[in-house]
Amino acid sequence: MISLADPVLGEDEKEALCSVIAGGWLTMGERVAAFERAFAELHGVEAAAAVNSCTAGLHLCLAALGIGAGDEVLVPSLTFVATVNAILYVGAEPVFVDIEGLGVPHISPADAEARCGPRARAVIVMHYGGYLVDLPEWRSFADAHGLKLIEDAAHAPAVGEVGRLSDASAFSFFTNKNMTTAEGGMVLAGQSSVLETMRGMRSHGMSTGTLDRHRGHAFSYDVGMLGFNYRMDELRAAMGTVQLARLPEWNARRRELSSLYRRLFSERLPRVCVPFADEHKTSAHLMPVLLPEGIDRGRVMARMRDAGIQTSIHYPPVHRFSFYRRRFPDLSLPNTENFCSRELTLPLHPSLSAENVDSVVEALGKLL
Ligand SMILES: *Cc1c(COP(=O)(O)O)cnc(C)c1O
């Protein structure tokens, strides 16, 4: 079976986990602090805060930036549902924005402009497949409209200026992402005060940490804000530090394999379109392609599975899920709907071989 996404796990991860068990301190200790420092350094920022998922991280980004009831947040519908759910967690209203087009399936600046009303307070951009949105352009857009800029960077760790130009960003270490802690996430912020607020909010809004109290550095605490339990534990942080060290190498391998896919499709199967240009800045999280119009995608996926190749769809558009359809019954986003009806995600992970890529393209070509 050629699987869609495979985490790379080995002896180093085992050792890291065992050392936490041997040490006896299990959550929010020195390993979390070390993981945060390493993540911040790799992204060229001063500090980072580890959380237990990217979803929790997105919630904290919105909450710490003061987004709430009565506010609107511009967001793509071509994303994982968590991006949009987080807007509802803080009581704000999502405003779905179409994508630019089939070749660049990113949130469209022109459509965002058209839908940006007087209640808009923030825009969440999502680096689809790891391909970075134009962050300088979105920074200007946000500034021109008085919006906070938030990045859903679940697909795009350690690439370009990710996390450096926005007001806040959230990363994911879920099992199928470019690096994993099984479950986990990280947040960055443009201002240190926002990051400090997120640190407070991830642990019930308490003013001192568990380790400080354990060590007798603090005997009491205040609760100065509404918080949650979004903490990361030491096991995940220890594993995360090991994974992070290999992330640049894995991202590079993913880029090589993506370029190979692109070359093979243009040589052998030009009817299959590959979004974005080969030189686009990317962590190459996904390998999305667009099937020719009129192809029964369900049948293609079933036959690929029979041929031992796992495929997927990224994503069913969020505004078409029944929960969101009830809220936005008449909304139509033609580019998003067209893209999502033809998109097929092919296997891509660092352990894939060039031969694997060749057989995926060969199998798809035969089926088409
Ligand atoms: C995976 C993912 C999330 C959620 O990440 P978790 O860490 O599982 O909460 C959010 N947004 C996007 C785009 C994702 O791919």
Side-chain angles (χ1 to χ4, degrees):
M1 192 77 189
I2 302 181
S3 58
L4 192 69
D6 256 347
V8 184
L9 301 168
E11 288 306 314
D12 291 347
E13 282 78 3
K14 279 188 203 165
E15 260 172 46
L17 292 172
C18 289
S19 75
V20 176
I21 305 286
W25 185 265
L26 294 180
T27 192
M28 289 291 291
E30 278 157 7
R31 287 180 178 85
V32 169
F35 181 35
E36 291 174 340
R37 281 194 302 274
F39 194 88
E41 192 180 333
L42 186 61
H43 289 81
V45 297
E46 299 245 306
V51 288
N52 59 9
S53 73
C54 177
T55 305
L58 289 166
H59 184 186
L60 294 185
C61 289
L62 288 157
L65 290 169
I67 311 299
D71 297 336
E72 290 180 346
V73 179
L74 301 166
V75 68
S77 176
L78 177 63
T79 186
F80 183 55
V81 67
T83 322
V84 189
N85 288 348
I87 298 168
L88 295 181
Y89 295 167
V90 296
E93 270 291 298
V95 175
F96 287 110
V97 177
D98 209 350
I99 54 170
E100 285 183 48
L102 299 183
V104 181
H106 278 151
I107 178 171
S108 154
D111 196 45
E113 179 86 47
R115 295 177 194 270
C116 184
R119 292 198 295 131
R121 287 280 315 281
V123 54
I124 306 181
V125 297
M126 198 280 271
H127 305 292
Y128 178 85
Y131 294 80
L132 283 203
V133 306
D134 187 336
L135 283 166
E137 181 184 4
W138 280 104
R139 181 71 269 171
S140 310
F141 179 94
D143 292 343
H145 294 85
L147 307 179
K148 302 291 185 189
L149 176 61
I150 298 170
E151 287 169 81
D152 179 338
H155 294 185
V159 51
E161 66 274 46
V162 70
R164 287 210 291 271
L165 296 178
S166 56
D167 295 290
S169 52
F171 296 80
S172 175
F173 309 132
F174 182 62
T175 315
N176 62 7
K177 301 302 200 292
N178 284 29
M179 61 165 280
T180 186
T181 61
E183 300 276 0
M186 191 74 78
V187 288
L188 308 178
Q191 283 189 303
S192 55
S193 59
V194 173
L195 193 70
E196 281 317 300
T197 302
M198 292 200 277
R199 279 184 195 286
M201 284 179 168
R202 81 176 154 182
S203 191
H204 309 288
M206 288 158 72
S207 57
T208 61
T210 327
L211 189 58
D212 279 339
R213 288 193 300 281
H214 173 75
R215 286 177 171 162
H217 295 166
F219 297 102
S220 184
Y221 59 85
D222 184 31
V223 171
M225 60 183 124
L226 178 64
F228 313 91
N229 177 357
Y230 286 167
R231 292 184 301 253
M232 176 173 275
D233 60 74
E234 292 282 282
L235 293 152
R236 288 181 165 79
M239 183 165 155
T241 302
V242 169
Q243 291 260 309
L244 187 71
R246 297 193 60 194
L247 180 64
E249 163 205 337
W250 289 336
N251 281 357
R253 176 68 183 150
R254 286 171 172 275
R255 280 190 286 268
E256 267 173 28
L257 293 165
S258 300
S259 296
L260 177 59
Y261 266 119
R262 279 175 195 282
R263 187 164 61 73
L264 296 182
F265 278 118
S266 76
E267 286 169 9
R268 295 189 208 159
L269 259 188
R271 292 166 66 211
V272 171
C273 302
V274 185
F276 302 109
D278 193 40
E279 57 277 5
H280 198 113
K281 260 184 241 167
T282 186
S283 63
H285 172 57
L286 299 176
M287 188 62 223
V289 298
L290 284 180
L291 297 179
E293 251 168 316
I295 294 285
D296 180 344
R297 178 174 56 185
R299 260 183 83 201
V300 169
M301 293 177 75
R303 301 275 295 275
M304 290 289 274
R305 190 193 51 220
D306 295 343
I309 298 164
Q310 196 186 9
T311 59
S312 181
I313 298 168
H314 289 86
Y315 291 89
V318 175
H319 73 286
R320 301 303 295 160
F321 286 129
S322 58
F323 175 73
Y324 281 99
R325 223 171 41 224
R326 285 197 296 274
R327 288 178 167 257
F328 302 94
D330 304 319
L331 179 66
S332 133
L333 300 170
N335 288 339
T336 300
E337 287 158 28
N338 188 7
F339 183 88
C340 295
S341 69
R342 289 169 53 191
E343 194 273 344
L344 181 71
T345 307
L346 302 176
L348 182 62
H349 53 83
S351 321
L352 217 58
S353 66
E355 291 71 39
N356 291 149
V357 170
D358 197 281
S359 14
V360 173
V361 176
E362 201 57 35
L364 189 56
K366 266 195 206 135
L367 284 178
L368 291 182

